[in-house]
Amino acid sequence: MSSLNNKIVDLVPASFSDDDTLCLEKGPSNAVSSPKIVISEPIVEKKPFLYSLRTHKHFITITILLALFSDMVTYGIIIPIMPSILAHMGGDSSKTGILVAVYAAGIMSASPIFGVLSDKMASRRKPMIIGLSGLFVATIIFMFAQVYWLLIIARFFQGVSGGAVWTLGLALMTDSFGADEMGIQMGKALIGHTMGMLGGPPIGGLLHDAFGPKAPFYFCLAFSALVIVCLTLLIEVRGDEALEIRKYEAELRARDLANGIEVKEVVHTSLWQLVTTPRMIAAVTVTTLEAFDLSSLEPTLPYYLKARFGLTEGQVGLVFIAFTMPTIVSPLAGWVSDRYGAKILCCCAVICAACFMLVLSIENKPLWGIVLTLVGIGLSTSSFIAPILGEISAVVRRTGDKAAYARAFAIFNMAFSFGMLIGPIMAGYIYSGLGFKWNCITTACILFAFVPLLFFWMGDRKAKMEDVAMYEREEEERKRILAEIAIIKEEKRTAGEA
């Protein structure tokens, strides 16, 4: 072992910082005995082209932001133009609601599959590229469809692709950021989600009026292609580390036993175990409520605005901009949850959203009053999701199963999809039978009903501090394991030279 001293360690993982590398000299603090490695000269390692940019946390966040935007803008862009698409098919608000819901069914069916596969592969990027390629093809089919059943098929496969984007994109974010900054980084990425979901309708309406009925779909195709390029460039450092750790798992276990370090048994957590955790139930509830709140307006608000004010598709799209204006609060909501926990923020946001829905139900409001109310709804719902993603990561971390993040975000996707599934269908039938007023009142009552559950089961400030401490311990252990792998590689190289 002494022959390792004063040798160059050329196989230290690329993700190590200078401080991480220097800690190899000291050895892990919790080991009984650890070999000493002194790096006598700089490590020269050939890295891929533009490595620093392609692994930078801002590039990762922007890529996921664009991916979520591409997925959700494809979902929302048809909302204001759906009446004209379905006009020659005998469509009404209920058929529009079914098309919105079919997309959610696609996400719900695909998310658990992609979650399990991703956790086994330890790679998020490649399945995401496959999913976005499927989104590209499904959008082309939808653009040229002439019969209703083909619209349903295309919409379903758009949802399947969305399941890949959401499940894998959020898991990639969890791989890349710590618990102390998870909320704010997720908040930044979720700007893409909110702007796509709520900005899709104004974009669709404006492009339809300005350039024709196929223009909105060309926009979606262009964005899908852009995201595929970004994902192709992105380098998954943590994914490579996970594969490396799996490769040396047996040797690491043997070294730990020899050094007197406690070897923990590998924990496997099922989807059922995750979803029955009270904190996860609360997170899933908030997720469903956000999707339900927004999607209940999407098939009905365009018909209401056209019937009452005679607005065109482009004008309806402009009204939907009121939803997108408050998306800037998502990073702020994430920052607040990083410091104070998700409970207070989410409870207040759900209550505010319910109150604004009641205001929206008031009849004979002028158009500007409707727009201001939509701004309030958008502000409230933009504060829902960023804290929830941190909650889901915390639930997984407490199980001890480090390979369950994609499965957990698959549950998030299924919950969001469930809200998108029931919201449009219920709203479409309530609007057809009772009108827009009772659609809004029903949604508000459902939001109010779940506030007590969130108050008792969501994580507070104390829970958040515990999550951060747990993450820091995980990071120390990860660095120790990577240092041991570097030592194993050096031992093998030295043995080969002898």
Side-chain angles (χ1 to χ4, degrees):
M1 187 68 69
S2 61
S3 64
L4 294 177
N5 291 336
N6 301 316
K7 283 187 174 288
I8 300 172
V9 181
D10 57 355
L11 294 172
V12 175
S15 61
F16 268 35
S17 64
D18 293 338
D19 293 339
D20 297 335
T21 306
L22 289 173
C23 78
L24 291 176
E25 298 186 35
K26 301 177 182 179
S29 58
N30 60 342
V32 173
S33 63
S34 179
K36 179 182 177 184
I37 296 180
V38 179
I39 301 177
S40 57
E41 55 185 86
I43 298 172
V44 179
E45 185 178 274
K46 185 177 180 180
K47 295 180 178 179
F49 180 65
L50 296 177
Y51 179 83
S52 297
L53 171 64
R54 295 165 66 185
T55 58
H56 198 281
K57 66 179 184 179
H58 293 322
F59 181 67
I60 294 171
T61 301
I62 290 171
T63 299
I64 302 305
L65 183 154
L66 293 175
L68 296 180
F69 177 84
S70 178
D71 174 55
M72 296 312 298
V73 80
T74 303
Y75 161 80
I77 207 166
I78 71 163
I79 300 300
I81 63 177
M82 190 57 68
S84 60
I85 292 176
L86 294 177
H88 68 283
M89 302 180 191
D92 55 16
S93 62
S94 61
K95 280 195 172 181
T96 302
I98 290 171
L99 275 180
V100 174
V102 164
Y103 179 91
I107 293 181
M108 190 180 296
S109 61
S111 293
I113 297 173
F114 281 110
V116 172
L117 289 177
S118 177
D119 283 336
K120 290 184 178 295
M121 294 171 60
S123 174
R124 322 294 190 189
R125 185 178 62 90
K126 292 178 182 178
M128 278 186 74
I129 292 175
I130 295 172
L132 281 162
S133 300
L135 182 66
F136 191 93
V137 174
T139 302
I140 294 175
I141 295 173
F142 195 97
M143 178 170 57
F144 291 105
Q146 297 296 319
V147 290
Y148 186 69
W149 64 265
L150 193 55
L151 291 178
I152 290 178
I153 291 175
R155 199 66 170 159
F156 177 81
F157 282 103
Q158 284 180 339
V160 170
S161 302
V165 171
W166 273 93
T167 301
L168 303 170
L170 297 178
L172 180 58
M173 291 289 290
T174 301
D175 292 343
S176 305
F177 299 103
D180 56 338
E181 60 174 342
M182 179 69 68
I184 190 169
Q185 296 298 336
M186 286 289 193
K188 292 175 183 177
L190 286 170
I191 291 176
H193 149 70
T194 311
M195 290 189 69
M197 185 174 185
L198 303 178
I203 292 171
L206 292 172
L207 290 175
H208 178 278
D209 287 356
F211 302 105
K214 288 187 171 56
F217 301 102
Y218 289 128
F219 177 87
C220 295
L221 293 173
F223 244 96
S224 297
L226 172 64
V227 178
I228 290 172
V229 171
C230 290
L231 284 170
T232 302
L233 293 174
L234 189 144
I235 296 175
E236 290 182 272
V237 175
R238 285 296 181 92
D240 294 340
E241 288 179 0
L243 293 174
E244 193 92 326
I245 291 170
R246 290 180 188 181
K247 179 180 177 181
Y248 291 94
E249 186 174 359
E251 292 169 88
L252 288 167
R253 185 183 181 88
R255 290 178 68 88
D256 285 349
L257 289 172
N259 291 332
I261 300 173
E262 181 184 358
V263 178
K264 297 180 180 179
E265 295 298 323
V266 178
V267 178
H268 297 287
T269 307
S270 67
L271 284 172
W272 179 250
Q273 289 173 307
L274 287 172
V275 81
T276 52
T277 304
R279 199 170 172 184
M280 178 66 88
I281 292 173
V284 163
T285 301
V286 174
T287 304
T288 305
L289 291 177
E290 194 226 16
F292 177 84
D293 183 24
L294 296 178
S295 63
S296 66
L297 291 175
E298 287 170 347
T300 58
L301 188 59
Y303 283 95
Y304 175 72
L305 293 174
K306 292 185 76 172
R308 185 173 171 201
F309 299 103
L311 302 186
T312 66
E313 283 83 356
Q315 290 169 332
V316 170
L318 288 174
V319 172
F320 268 85
I321 290 178
F323 272 137
T324 66
M325 290 172 60
T327 55
I328 194 171
V329 306
S330 289
L332 178 61
W335 180 86
V336 172
S337 69
D338 282 341
R339 283 150 183 79
Y340 303 105
K343 176 186 291 187
I344 298 300
L345 181 63
C346 286
C347 287
C348 292
V350 171
I351 291 171
C352 288
C355 291
F356 281 118
M357 288 299 294
L358 289 177
V359 173
L360 191 62
S361 71
I362 298 173
E363 296 177 331
N364 300 320
K365 289 191 305 299
L367 183 58
W368 64 265
I370 293 175
V371 170
L372 289 179
T373 306
L374 292 176
V375 170
I377 294 173
L379 182 66
S380 303
T381 53
S382 294
S383 303
F384 282 16
I385 295 298
I388 292 309
L389 299 176
E391 287 285 283
I392 292 173
S393 297
V395 170
V396 176
R397 192 169 290 115
R398 286 169 182 255
T399 67
D401 187 352
K402 298 178 182 178
Y405 286 104
R407 274 170 280 161
F409 288 119
I411 295 172
F412 165 85
N413 276 349
M414 294 169 71
F416 192 85
S417 303
F418 181 68
M420 290 173 64
L421 185 66
I422 62 175
I425 294 176
M426 187 197 76
Y429 284 104
I430 291 177
Y431 179 82
S432 298
L434 300 173
F436 187 71
K437 172 184 175 179
W438 285 102
N439 175 40
C440 296
I441 291 174
T442 303
T443 302
C445 290
I446 292 172
L447 291 174
F448 278 127
F450 284 98
V451 172
L453 183 148
L454 307 183
F455 182 80
F456 288 110
W457 282 357
M458 290 198 76
D460 55 12
R461 178 180 172 83
K462 179 182 177 182
K464 185 63 181 181
M465 295 303 101
E466 292 173 354
D467 298 338
V468 173
M470 190 175 297
Y471 168 76
E472 289 172 350
R473 291 194 296 270
E474 282 186 359
E475 279 297 284
E476 291 176 1
E477 177 66 7
R478 180 184 68 86
K479 292 175 182 179
R480 184 191 71 82
I481 290 173
L482 293 175
E484 291 288 338
I485 290 175
I487 294 169
I488 292 170
K489 288 182 177 180
E490 179 63 17
E491 286 177 344
K492 290 183 176 181
R493 188 173 70 86
T494 303
E497 292 176 353

